[in-house]
Amino acid sequence: MAEPAGIQADVVIVGAGLSGMIAARTVLAAGLRPVVLEADDRVGGRILTEEILPGVPVEIGAQWIGDTHERMFALAAELGVDTFEQFDEGETSYELGGAGVLRGNEFHSRYHDELAELERVLRHLDELATEVPVEAPWRAPRAAEWDAITAGNWYDDQGLSPIARTLLEICTVGILAVPTTEVSFLHLLFTIQTCGVTSELLAESEGGAQTTRFTGGTGEIPRRLAALIAEYIVLNVPVQLIEHGVDRVAVHCRGGLVATGRRVIVAVSPALAGRIMYDPPLPGVRDQLTQRSPNGTAMKAFFVYDQPFWRADGFNGQLISDIGPARMSNDACIPGDDHGLILLFLEGDQARTYGRLPQPQRQELLTAELVRHYGPVAAQPLAYVDGEWSEREWTRGCYNANLGPHVWTNYGSALAAPIGAIHWASTDTATFWSAYMEGAVDAGERAAREVIDALSS
Ligand SMILES: Cc1cc2nc3c(=O)[nH]c(=O)nc-3n(C[C@H](O)[C@H](O)[C@H](O)COP(=O)(O)OP(=O)(O)OC[C@H]3O[C@@H](n4cnc5c(N)ncnc54)[C@H](O)[C@@H]3O)c2cc1C
């Protein structure tokens, strides 16, 4: 990595997450000199792979890509990171509506009508989402109407049975990591439209966004990407102040480093971008936007066993529960490794409640849940690890920024629009798979193109 000192570059980039590093690589390919200033002592941001046991990596952050994540497939191939398919054989285990724990087949036959209701609403969401232009959601013909209500309000008005409404909530919180009562309905439709259709996104079990994993862990992607541009990355330098003028920026970091350039790309979530000082100050609309762009709350908890015993019982490792603590789970085993790995999600209110408990207590409650679904053998894990993202100083929540009512229509135009020499990246500004790694790449490339065009004209 480069040595901190006064640095001169063409393009200063704030944040060495996927978006920032893609932006750096893109401007470099265009003959411009980047410098990437990263607050943390590592690259990757919301992508974080840790070994739970020697040689057994788990994804504390991003884990999957889906079939339409074309940029991520291309990046993995270029970096020499192999992919493998998510295990998806067997039945899901359900625990809903006070009916106890039911196997998938049993659940589907008992709640056939409720599942049909859910399907009807998902198709309706697909139709409405096509009316939302992803570049400018506030220009949707019904933007004012949809931005005035929450996704939860709209769901409540669909005449759903309690089971269908609960399933819809669980699926949606699994995407947004906040209760649907906190998110604008327009934001939900925008999210759907950036991803394609709900079947890609809001699946009741394995979704289109979760078909494929990376050999060695997702962390291989930022690790190898950083190795290609190592001389342009500086770690442990939180950006505190951006002075900006016409074609000139001076980016000041904690510790005294100042990087100067002609443009700056801020590749952090809007909430964190709003904590940086700007001189001259940014327009009010931009600051008010960042005041209203809260990151969700989610954590992942991994249990390791000597083998994936649930598979032998015909389960796919997925559970859906309205009791919890976890609402959902996944088989997280690694091909070629005999261990059984299972991943439980705590999202939205579940993360707020259980994420604040001492870890042993959280582990105990999650273990009890696994025992309810998969039997007493689940009480004997070899190892456990979880990760809380709102505690991380340079992320402060995940999976992304979710806009509440009235924000898109009043402030949305300030999300990605450059302000003089300042450009905005991060997945939260993407128009394709916003909130996902694919979106991080999309936004990094878009911001880099803006800079390249501006500096070549
Ligand atoms: C638990 C979890 C699970 C996820 N699962 C998936 C998944 O399965 N599939 C998927 O596609 N996506 C998933 N995601 C989302 C995915 O991780 C993100 O979309 C993507 O990594 C965002 O990249 P980014 O570069 O836009 O932002 P970030 O990764 O947030 O990068 C921003 C960088 O900026 C740095 N930074 C912040 N403030 C400053 C500052 N002031 N100065 C300098 N640097 C700063 C941060 O340290 C960070 O490195 C998940 C995320 C989490 C947390």
Side-chain angles (χ1 to χ4, degrees), residues 14-20 37-40 42-47 59-65 69 72 209-210 237-240 267-269 272 276 298-300 345 387 389 393-395 397-400 425-428 433 435-440:
V14 182
L18 193 50
S19 209
L37 305 173
E38 167 56 49
D40 215 336
R42 64 175 183 90
V43 300
R46 283 172 263 182
I47 303 170
E59 318 296 356
I60 304 297
Q63 183 156 344
W64 291 276
I65 53 173
H69 294 197
M72 286 301 295
Q210 299 184 338
V237 282
V239 168
Q240 295 181 315
V268 307
S269 68
L272 294 192
I276 297 170
M299 64 188 298
K300 295 168 76 177
F345 291 95
W389 284 86
E393 184 177 12
W394 305 115
T395 305
C398 66
Y399 303 107
N400 64 308
S426 97
T427 191
D428 315 270
W433 284 99
Y436 291 79
M437 293 182 282
E438 181 75 10

